[in-house]
Amino acid sequence: MRRERYEQVLAAAAGTGGVVSRRVLRELGVQRGHIRHQVAHGRWHVAGTQTVVPHRGAVSVDGRRWAALWETGASIAVLDGVTALQVAGLRNFEDDDVHVSVVHRHDVRRLEGVRVHKVIRRVPGEVVEQGIPRTTPAVAALRAAYWARTDRQAALVLLMVVQQRLASPEQLLERSRQLRGRRRRAFVRDVVGYLTCGVESLGELDFARLCRQRGLPEPTRQVVVHGTGGRMYLDVRWEEHGLVVEVDGVQHREGLQVSADNLSRNEVSLGDDRVLRIDLVGLRLQPDRFLDQVRRGLRRGAPAGFEVRADARSSGITSNRRTEGGGESGWRDYPGGR
């Protein structure tokens, strides 16, 4: 092969992760015989029926992604789910498989290391046209959640996408009205709801409902207290138990909000109350563990005559406070707590 043509092949491969498709090689004038000759002498190797590696090294991560598209079908496949998010910049979420999506009417073959997902249709504007073909972060995040192995993994990817500013909660909400996965629709809708506007009140209502289910005493919501830094609002408080619970939405983990929350929490802890923090996604995924911590906190700070005990009938917790007449205090009505 002439040096000039070989440099053209390397230049083409440089833009696609160090691999090149047979179609591009044909356009450059490289015939099948040339490819066989290079492979036979160990200078090149192949990574499927449509992908050629014009060097002796291993296939890079980007090269595997391009190869997955070419081997599935360059005209029908795009990167999707976690893989599309990784290309968009998602950090600290590991998944070695390459995820691609195709419209359901296409028949594709199985490929090692590639997970092909069939979708009902492409929604308008879902594909990023520049660079490697992939879905936009909002679409990719929702599909990643639908395709996840567990609810925990689904919630994590949605949370990380918002925290790393790859997509806004509003974008997820808008796209969730267009995309309906086959699995965990209600769960994904709930998590997206936690991430959108009104997350504080939604979290407090969800927390109140869980407390009621376990027979925990009714807390006071949105308590105003005064500290050295001025007025503070506490999400949930049991004053006579000296216990405060802060229900954190995703906005509590961004930028300077972390410092502001820590200052507020420290002020409360330096007073007479202890503070437990519960994040909304954690509350959705592990309610029993968090509510058990609340029960232990209530028991530790229980005033005289107040018992916090397990209720075998509901497999939860019930709290009985004896009144002067020997009865038990009842529940106050909690609007929206159902």
Side-chain angles (χ1 to χ4, degrees):
M1 182 184 297
R2 291 184 303 178
R3 183 68 183 179
E4 179 182 355
R5 183 165 295 167
Y6 181 63
E7 290 179 351
Q8 290 176 340
V9 171
L10 292 180
T16 51
V19 297
V20 64
S21 68
R22 289 182 180 270
R23 180 183 63 80
V24 169
L25 289 175
R26 286 196 300 270
E27 293 173 354
L28 293 175
V30 180
Q31 303 301 318
R32 291 183 179 180
H34 294 147
I35 298 173
R36 286 195 297 268
H37 179 78
Q38 297 293 337
V39 171
H41 286 77
R43 303 187 188 99
W44 294 1
H45 58 101
V46 295
T49 62
Q50 302 298 321
T51 308
V52 177
V53 187
H55 54 78
R56 293 186 174 91
V59 180
S60 68
V61 172
D62 284 343
R64 287 183 59 230
R65 292 166 178 166
W66 279 102
L69 295 180
W70 296 333
E71 298 300 319
T72 304
S75 62
I76 62 174
V78 298
L79 299 182
D80 210 333
V82 172
T83 307
L85 292 172
Q86 290 171 335
V87 173
L90 181 67
R91 307 182 307 276
N92 303 321
F93 193 102
E94 301 299 326
D95 190 332
D96 293 333
D97 288 336
V98 179
H99 295 260
V100 303
S101 64
V102 299
V103 176
H104 70 96
R105 63 178 176 271
H106 297 291
D107 293 326
V108 296
R109 62 190 181 91
R110 292 179 177 271
L111 300 168
E112 184 179 356
V114 179
R115 295 185 62 187
V116 180
H117 305 270
K118 291 192 174 183
V119 298
I120 298 298
R121 60 187 176 89
R122 298 281 181 209
V123 297
E126 78 165 68
V127 179
V128 177
E129 301 294 341
Q130 295 182 335
I132 189 168
R134 63 190 189 277
T135 54
T136 61
V139 171
L142 289 166
R143 289 198 177 130
Y146 291 135
W147 300 336
R149 293 183 174 89
T150 64
D151 286 352
R152 185 186 302 274
Q153 188 183 68
L156 178 62
V157 71
L158 291 170
L159 183 64
M160 292 178 72
V161 164
V162 173
Q163 288 178 333
Q164 297 180 23
R165 301 180 186 277
L166 300 180
S168 68
E170 291 74 23
Q171 289 172 328
L172 292 177
L173 180 61
E174 180 182 359
R175 285 302 193 181
S176 69
R177 296 174 178 137
Q178 300 172 316
L179 301 173
R180 294 188 177 183
R182 296 178 180 177
R183 303 170 55 202
R184 62 172 62 91
R185 291 183 186 179
F187 178 82
V188 169
R189 183 176 63 247
D190 286 348
V191 175
V192 171
Y194 293 156
L195 299 176
T196 51
C197 299
V199 69
E200 296 91 343
S201 59
L202 179 60
E204 292 157 22
L205 292 176
D206 206 23
F207 180 75
R209 175 181 55 80
L210 292 171
C211 286
R212 295 181 70 175
Q213 289 176 352
R214 288 159 176 79
L216 293 176
E218 189 80 7
T220 303
R221 291 197 304 148
Q222 287 296 310
V223 180
V224 180
V225 297
H226 296 273
T228 58
R231 188 168 57 179
M232 297 178 295
Y233 291 88
L234 307 179
D235 291 341
V236 174
R237 187 187 192 190
W238 288 270
E239 184 173 3
E240 45 193 5
H241 291 260
L243 184 66
V244 170
V245 171
E246 291 292 294
V247 184
D248 293 343
V250 67
Q251 77 283 357
H252 288 266
R253 300 187 183 189
E254 296 183 352
L256 297 178
Q257 188 62 44
V258 174
S259 297
D261 287 346
N262 287 341
L263 286 170
S264 298
R265 177 179 57 183
N266 293 344
E267 284 286 345
V268 175
S269 297
L270 289 171
D272 297 328
D273 292 330
R274 286 160 292 117
V275 180
L276 296 178
R277 299 202 83 106
I278 303 176
D279 63 286
L280 281 172
V281 175
L283 185 64
R284 180 65 170 81
L285 291 174
Q286 303 183 81
D288 290 334
R289 293 185 65 183
F290 279 116
L291 270 294
D292 180 65
Q293 290 181 336
V294 173
R295 175 186 60 81
R296 287 153 53 195
L298 290 170
R299 177 176 290 171
R300 180 176 298 179
F306 203 112
E307 179 188 4
V308 182
R309 61 180 174 81
D311 185 349
R313 293 171 301 174
S314 63
S315 299
I317 306 300
T318 184
S319 300
N320 299 332
R321 184 180 182 185
R322 295 292 176 181
T323 64
E324 293 181 358
E328 297 180 357
S329 60
W331 286 104
R332 297 195 304 270
D333 184 29
Y334 207 129
R338 290 190 297 268

Short mmCIF file of all heavy atoms in Angstrom, two decimals, residues 3 5-6 11 21 36 61 80 107 109 127 166 192 228 233 240 248 254 269 298 309 319 335:
data_model
loop_
_atom_site.label_atom_id
_atom_site.label_comp_id
_atom_site.label_asym_id
_atom_site.label_seq_id
_atom_site.Cartn_x
_atom_site.Cartn_y
_atom_site.Cartn_z
N ARG A 3 2.36 4.88 0.69
CA ARG A 3 2.47 5.62 1.95
C ARG A 3 1.37 6.67 2.08
O ARG A 3 0.78 6.84 3.15
CB ARG A 3 3.83 6.30 2.02
CG ARG A 3 4.08 7.05 3.32
CD ARG A 3 4.20 6.11 4.47
NE ARG A 3 4.37 6.82 5.72
CZ ARG A 3 4.48 6.22 6.90
NH1 ARG A 3 4.42 4.89 6.98
NH2 ARG A 3 4.63 6.92 8.01
N ARG A 5 -1.68 6.68 0.83
CA ARG A 5 -2.98 6.08 1.14
C ARG A 5 -3.00 5.56 2.57
O ARG A 5 -4.03 5.67 3.26
CB ARG A 5 -3.27 4.95 0.16
CG ARG A 5 -4.63 4.30 0.34
CD ARG A 5 -5.01 3.46 -0.84
NE ARG A 5 -5.17 4.28 -2.03
CZ ARG A 5 -5.25 3.80 -3.27
NH1 ARG A 5 -5.19 2.49 -3.47
NH2 ARG A 5 -5.41 4.60 -4.30
N TYR A 6 -1.90 5.00 3.03
CA TYR A 6 -1.82 4.50 4.39
C TYR A 6 -2.01 5.65 5.39
O TYR A 6 -2.70 5.50 6.40
CB TYR A 6 -0.48 3.82 4.63
CG TYR A 6 -0.31 3.26 6.02
CD1 TYR A 6 -1.14 2.25 6.49
CD2 TYR A 6 0.67 3.76 6.87
CE1 TYR A 6 -1.00 1.74 7.77
CE2 TYR A 6 0.82 3.26 8.15
CZ TYR A 6 -0.01 2.25 8.59
OH TYR A 6 0.14 1.75 9.86
N ALA A 11 -5.45 8.67 9.25
CA ALA A 11 -6.16 9.91 9.57
C ALA A 11 -7.64 9.64 9.76
O ALA A 11 -8.29 10.21 10.66
CB ALA A 11 -5.95 10.93 8.45
N SER A 21 -14.07 1.73 9.22
CA SER A 21 -15.03 0.81 8.63
C SER A 21 -14.60 0.42 7.22
O SER A 21 -13.84 1.14 6.55
CB SER A 21 -16.42 1.46 8.57
OG SER A 21 -16.43 2.52 7.63
N ARG A 36 -6.74 -7.95 3.34
CA ARG A 36 -6.30 -9.32 3.65
C ARG A 36 -4.77 -9.38 3.75
O ARG A 36 -4.23 -10.07 4.62
CB ARG A 36 -6.80 -10.29 2.57
CG ARG A 36 -8.29 -10.60 2.66
CD ARG A 36 -8.63 -11.83 1.83
NE ARG A 36 -8.37 -11.60 0.42
CZ ARG A 36 -9.26 -11.16 -0.45
NH1 ARG A 36 -10.51 -10.88 -0.03
NH2 ARG A 36 -8.94 -10.98 -1.72
N VAL A 61 -11.47 2.18 23.84
CA VAL A 61 -12.87 2.27 24.26
C VAL A 61 -13.71 2.94 23.18
O VAL A 61 -14.79 2.46 22.81
CB VAL A 61 -12.99 3.04 25.59
CG1 VAL A 61 -14.45 3.30 25.94
CG2 VAL A 61 -12.30 2.27 26.71
N ASP A 80 -26.66 4.52 23.10
CA ASP A 80 -27.80 4.89 23.94
C ASP A 80 -27.51 4.47 25.38
O ASP A 80 -26.49 3.84 25.68
CB ASP A 80 -29.07 4.19 23.43
CG ASP A 80 -30.33 5.00 23.69
OD1 ASP A 80 -30.34 5.78 24.66
OD2 ASP A 80 -31.32 4.83 22.94
N ASP A 107 -33.87 -6.46 12.41
CA ASP A 107 -33.26 -7.67 12.95
C ASP A 107 -31.75 -7.47 13.01
O ASP A 107 -31.12 -7.07 12.02
CB ASP A 107 -33.58 -8.88 12.07
CG ASP A 107 -35.06 -9.25 12.12
OD1 ASP A 107 -35.66 -9.08 13.19
OD2 ASP A 107 -35.58 -9.69 11.09
N ARG A 109 -27.88 -9.02 14.82
CA ARG A 109 -27.24 -10.20 15.40
C ARG A 109 -26.60 -9.85 16.73
O ARG A 109 -26.31 -8.70 17.02
CB ARG A 109 -26.19 -10.76 14.42
CG ARG A 109 -25.05 -9.81 14.10
CD ARG A 109 -24.22 -10.35 12.96
NE ARG A 109 -23.10 -9.48 12.63
CZ ARG A 109 -21.89 -9.59 13.17
NH1 ARG A 109 -21.65 -10.56 14.05
NH2 ARG A 109 -20.91 -8.78 12.84
N VAL A 127 -31.41 12.21 18.71
CA VAL A 127 -30.07 11.82 18.29
C VAL A 127 -29.17 13.04 18.13
O VAL A 127 -29.55 14.03 17.50
CB VAL A 127 -30.12 11.03 16.96
CG1 VAL A 127 -28.71 10.66 16.50
CG2 VAL A 127 -30.97 9.78 17.11
N LEU A 166 -25.57 16.99 33.26
CA LEU A 166 -25.68 16.52 31.88
C LEU A 166 -27.09 16.75 31.34
O LEU A 166 -27.29 16.90 30.13
CB LEU A 166 -25.33 15.03 31.80
CG LEU A 166 -23.92 14.65 32.25
CD1 LEU A 166 -23.71 13.15 32.11
CD2 LEU A 166 -22.87 15.41 31.44
N VAL A 192 -37.92 10.81 38.89
CA VAL A 192 -37.90 12.07 38.14
C VAL A 192 -38.69 13.13 38.91
O VAL A 192 -38.29 14.31 38.96
CB VAL A 192 -38.45 11.87 36.72
CG1 VAL A 192 -38.64 13.21 36.01
CG2 VAL A 192 -37.52 10.99 35.91
N THR A 228 -27.19 31.38 65.39
CA THR A 228 -26.27 32.52 65.24
C THR A 228 -26.28 33.06 63.82
O THR A 228 -25.96 34.23 63.60
CB THR A 228 -24.85 32.08 65.62
OG1 THR A 228 -24.46 30.98 64.78
CG2 THR A 228 -24.77 31.66 67.08
N TYR A 233 -34.96 26.86 58.65
CA TYR A 233 -36.14 26.02 58.50
C TYR A 233 -35.71 24.55 58.58
O TYR A 233 -34.83 24.12 57.82
CB TYR A 233 -36.85 26.28 57.17
CG TYR A 233 -37.51 27.63 57.08
CD1 TYR A 233 -36.80 28.74 56.63
CD2 TYR A 233 -38.84 27.79 57.46
CE1 TYR A 233 -37.41 29.98 56.55
CE2 TYR A 233 -39.46 29.04 57.39
CZ TYR A 233 -38.73 30.12 56.93
OH TYR A 233 -39.34 31.36 56.86
N GLU A 240 -39.82 17.04 71.43
CA GLU A 240 -39.66 16.42 72.75
C GLU A 240 -38.70 15.24 72.73
O GLU A 240 -38.27 14.75 73.76
CB GLU A 240 -41.01 16.00 73.31
CG GLU A 240 -41.90 15.29 72.35
CD GLU A 240 -43.34 15.19 72.85
OE1 GLU A 240 -43.67 15.75 73.91
OE2 GLU A 240 -44.12 14.53 72.16
N ASP A 248 -33.24 15.53 52.03
CA ASP A 248 -32.45 16.25 51.02
C ASP A 248 -32.82 15.85 49.61
O ASP A 248 -32.82 14.65 49.28
CB ASP A 248 -30.96 15.98 51.22
CG ASP A 248 -30.44 16.57 52.52
OD1 ASP A 248 -31.12 17.44 53.08
OD2 ASP A 248 -29.35 16.16 52.96
N GLU A 254 -25.25 20.34 45.53
CA GLU A 254 -24.62 21.12 44.47
C GLU A 254 -24.03 22.41 45.03
O GLU A 254 -24.63 23.09 45.86
CB GLU A 254 -25.63 21.46 43.38
CG GLU A 254 -26.15 20.23 42.64
CD GLU A 254 -27.10 20.60 41.53
OE1 GLU A 254 -27.45 21.79 41.43
OE2 GLU A 254 -27.49 19.72 40.76
N SER A 269 -27.18 20.81 65.72
CA SER A 269 -26.51 19.80 66.53
C SER A 269 -25.85 20.41 67.76
O SER A 269 -25.73 19.75 68.80
CB SER A 269 -25.46 19.06 65.69
OG SER A 269 -26.08 18.36 64.63
N LEU A 298 -35.56 8.28 67.91
CA LEU A 298 -36.70 8.61 68.77
C LEU A 298 -36.60 7.88 70.11
O LEU A 298 -36.88 8.44 71.16
CB LEU A 298 -38.00 8.24 68.07
CG LEU A 298 -38.39 9.11 66.87
CD1 LEU A 298 -39.57 8.49 66.13
CD2 LEU A 298 -38.71 10.52 67.30
N ARG A 309 -41.88 1.12 70.45
CA ARG A 309 -41.73 -0.32 70.40
C ARG A 309 -42.13 -0.86 69.04
O ARG A 309 -42.83 -0.20 68.26
CB ARG A 309 -42.61 -0.97 71.47
CG ARG A 309 -44.10 -0.68 71.30
CD ARG A 309 -44.92 -1.34 72.40
NE ARG A 309 -46.31 -0.97 72.35
CZ ARG A 309 -47.20 -1.53 71.52
NH1 ARG A 309 -46.82 -2.45 70.68
NH2 ARG A 309 -48.46 -1.14 71.54
N SER A 319 -45.55 3.97 68.38
CA SER A 319 -45.14 4.79 69.51
C SER A 319 -46.37 5.15 70.33
O SER A 319 -47.33 5.71 69.78
CB SER A 319 -44.46 6.07 69.03
OG SER A 319 -43.33 5.74 68.26
N PRO A 335 -52.42 16.28 55.90
CA PRO A 335 -52.87 16.44 54.50
C PRO A 335 -51.80 15.98 53.54
O PRO A 335 -50.64 16.32 53.65
CB PRO A 335 -53.08 17.96 54.38
CG PRO A 335 -53.27 18.44 55.78
CD PRO A 335 -52.42 17.55 56.64
#
